[in-house]
Amino acid sequence: MSAAPMGGTCDPRFAALREAFAANFTERGEPGGAIALMVDGRLVCDLWGGYRDAARTREWTRETLVNFFSVGKAFTALVALRLVERGLLDLDAPAHCLWPEFGCNGKETITLRHMLSHRAGLPAIREDLPDGAMLGWSRMAEALARQAPWWEPGTAHGYHVNTFGYLVGELVRRASGGTIGEILRDEIAAPLGADVHIGLPSAEHYRAAEFLWPSVLPERPPGVLDGDALMKWNTYWNPPGISGAGWVNRPEWRSAEIPSTNGHGTARGIARVYAALAAGGAIDGVDILSREMLAAATEEQSFGPDRILERESRFALGFQLPQAERPLGPNPQAFGHFGAGGSLGFCDPVARVAFGYVTNDMGPRWQNPRNKALLAAIYGSLGV
């Protein structure tokens, strides 16, 4: 492939990172994206490149943002954990204490901790919902309140791919009166100057890159689905567009709050949030979490066979933790969250780095060669 247009700045110390990013376009099929690296709170690499549309007529710019999918789960968790610090939420209180309608059909013991660690047994909604239902907050919350768990809560874990944000967000709404997107904007993103959003204001839609994902929904497998097969299908495709297929580039999707799935932002914005976490929860006078809350938030809660992913996964309270087949550099203290297509936000408090990567391509999800190359270049430049 020919070289793609690129812009931005990079400290010469991290020339290998610039080269790896450029190679994503020439060797690894990257259509458009951006990276940002902060070390000790200083932005040392801020690069963007490629194109923001499928036709490759509009170049990616410094202000281009894009849907970063599950990277937003970590930001959703941060909002909830801030309310825990204030005493408005309790990690271990039954959710039905705040959400009475939820306390039925075997959900009486489910807590916020279960939700944040993917142990609630609610990765999918059983009742069929129409396409577009994911845009209606009340409709999704009501369906989850009626749903029986797919496994006994707390006894196993399975990635709550799309329900995570509605579950945590409904507790946040009932405890504070605000939404995930509102609190993220007012208490985290705006004070930090971080360009990240859950519910992108319509005035900002012009900056959004087209996400290159087939617009046709997959066909439901033939025959009757039941048990685990139904759970896994519904996790991704009930309602049909809940994962973004057919919707991801529509204004209705960008404006809605779907905290598990439709966060938008720049790589620089992601790195800025993680720079605060790498520094212990605060940076430049802006407090995100106390050191004590951050320590609790990054303790392992779930590790082992994942009922949805059908492989091992490892979670803290809303954050993904490193594991052998999916490391975040060499230091076990790192934490963050990947997003569909390979997008990534993470920090490593030991190396004092914070990193954001965004892309507009649904590339390999679990083992993504693009973000792996970037991670290797970061730590190679650090001499680790």
Side-chain angles (χ1 to χ4, degrees), residues 248-265:
V248 69
N249 295 311
R250 297 195 201 182
E252 304 98 314
W253 172 271
R254 290 173 176 158
S255 296
E257 286 197 25
I258 308 173
S260 299
T261 317
N262 84 329
H264 286 72

Side-chain angles (χ1 to χ4, degrees), residues 259-329:
S260 299
T261 317
N262 84 329
H264 286 72
T266 62
R268 189 171 55 256
I270 294 168
R272 176 66 173 165
V273 176
Y274 276 101
L277 301 179
I283 192 169
D284 297 333
V286 180
D287 294 320
I288 301 302
L289 285 181
S290 69
R291 287 185 178 272
E292 295 75 19
M293 188 75 256
L294 183 57
T298 53
E299 289 182 358
E300 180 183 292
Q301 304 290 317
S302 301
F303 184 36
D306 188 299
R307 293 285 303 270
I308 298 299
L309 299 178
E310 298 184 305
R311 55 168 61 95
E312 285 195 340
S313 64
R314 186 169 180 241
F315 294 99
L317 294 176
F319 295 101
Q320 290 177 322
L321 299 178
Q323 55 191 96
E325 65 273 27
R326 211 183 194 197
L328 290 169

Side-chain angles (χ1 to χ4, degrees), residues 89-168:
L89 283 175
D90 185 324
L91 285 168
D92 298 306
H96 70 78
C97 294
L98 275 173
W99 186 0
E101 303 91 329
F102 188 79
C104 65
N105 294 330
K107 301 194 300 300
E108 293 83 358
T109 63
I110 292 176
T111 65
L112 176 60
R113 186 184 298 275
H114 289 141
M115 295 174 179
L116 289 171
S117 56
H118 301 271
R119 303 183 72 83
L122 296 168
I125 295 169
R126 185 179 294 270
E127 66 178 273
D128 287 340
L129 296 174
D131 198 13
M134 68 284 179
L135 303 177
W137 186 273
S138 295
R139 185 167 195 174
M140 295 299 293
E142 290 165 6
L144 285 164
R146 292 189 295 268
Q147 172 68 38
W150 296 85
W151 64 81
E152 182 181 348
T155 63
H157 78 281
Y159 188 33
H160 287 43
V161 179
N162 292 308
T163 57
F164 176 94
Y166 296 108
L167 292 166
V168 176

Side-chain angles (χ1 to χ4, degrees), residues 322-324 326-335 338 344 346-348 351 353 371-372 375-376 378-379 384:
Q323 55 191 96
R326 211 183 194 197
L328 290 169
N331 296 320
Q333 297 88 345
F335 59 92
F338 292 88
L344 172 63
F346 91 102
C347 68
D348 179 345
V353 303
N371 60 39
K372 287 178 70 174
L375 287 167
I378 290 169
Y379 285 97
V384 178

Side-chain angles (χ1 to χ4, degrees), residues 16-17 20-21 23-24 28 368-379:
L17 180 57
F21 183 57
N24 277 354
R28 293 182 279 270
N368 188 291
R370 298 170 192 160
N371 60 39
K372 287 178 70 174
L374 298 172
L375 287 167
I378 290 169
Y379 285 97

Side-chain angles (χ1 to χ4, degrees), residues 37-40 278 346-349 351-355 378-379 382:
L37 177 67
M38 300 186 75
V39 179
D40 285 326
F346 91 102
C347 68
D348 179 345
R352 304 184 305 282
V353 303
F355 179 68
I378 290 169
Y379 285 97
L382 291 169

